[in-house]
Amino acid sequence: MSMKTKSERRFLSISPEFQKLNNYTSNSSLNSCHSSSFSRSSYQRIVDDEQKLEKTRLKSTIYRKKFLLFFLAITTLLISCCFSILAPFFPAEAEHKKHLSKTVIGLIFGIFQLANFFLSPLFGKYITILGARFTYLSGIFLLGGCSLCFGFLDRAPSGTTYMVLCFICRTLEGVGAAAATTASFAIVAHEFPDRISTAFGLMETFSGAGFIVGPFLGGVLFQLGGFTLPFAVLGGVLLTMAMIYVAIFPSIAGAHTPYTGSLLPLMQIATVCVACMTVLEADASTKEHLLVEPI
């Protein structure tokens, strides 16, 4: 009787474990089909979500690149405006009010592009060390600041002092233009590796448009507010765009391998020399027309 009671107690103590095991096996066998179908549906849902997310990222990247290209193109237009904006009024102001000769006035115009000519290859060589973003922002801030300063030179004494200050401002403007232009083309080449020719063509189009818009804008603003207003507006817009660039485009990823070669072999290529001479001739023709005093 005692043995039977002991065995019954043992069975009762073990039976819950068997019940749990039976329940688990039965539930797993019954739900195996449902779990497999659920795993397939959940996997398909994850794949669909990943595809939608990838499409959203692709669209945002395309929009960002388009806006970046348009932003850099507008900056290129403003850089050209910095060169040509003083064409309608500066020769007469400098000659009749500040007593500068036409030769000096021509040099004040040309020093901008002279600095651009000599410093653009240097910025192109060391841009991988300085960084495209830093080079671009430094050039824009320098160009905009010097443009603002140039607008207040009408308050400087006539003669040598005025001439020296004009040369300093225009030289620094040329340095800033060289840095910003070189960095702009480097950023465009990095962001649009498959459409470099199209992107460069757009940049050059806006650069040429700046030589058209600049004199017109300078003449209108000079009539509205005198000597200071054209440079204040242009410099203020450049500084504003530089701050917008900092806010919207915080970084530009790219190669940072320093360039160790020489630029001289490049000038030994005949097509490169012809292209350089064509650009120089075009700039010289532009300066000649800009320096013609209005009748």
Side-chain angles (χ1 to χ4, degrees), residues 8 156 211 258 287:
E8 288 178 353
F211 292 105
K287 294 179 181 66

Side-chain angles (χ1 to χ4, degrees), residues 15 17 35 43 46 98 153 169 225 233 240 256 263 288 291:
S15 60
E17 299 295 334
S35 63
Y43 175 76
I46 293 174
K98 300 300 181 179
L153 292 184
C169 285
V233 171
T240 302
H256 295 282
L263 297 176
E288 181 180 356
L291 288 173

Side-chain angles (χ1 to χ4, degrees), residues 167-218:
F167 274 117
I168 292 175
C169 285
R170 293 290 286 180
T171 302
L172 293 178
E173 284 184 8
V175 174
T181 303
T182 305
S184 296
F185 281 99
I187 294 172
V188 168
H190 176 265
E191 292 291 328
F192 302 93
D194 299 329
R195 297 179 177 268
I196 293 181
S197 58
T198 303
F200 277 18
L202 181 64
M203 296 283 287
E204 290 294 341
T205 300
F206 275 78
S207 178
F211 292 105
I212 301 172
V213 176
F216 171 76
L217 182 65

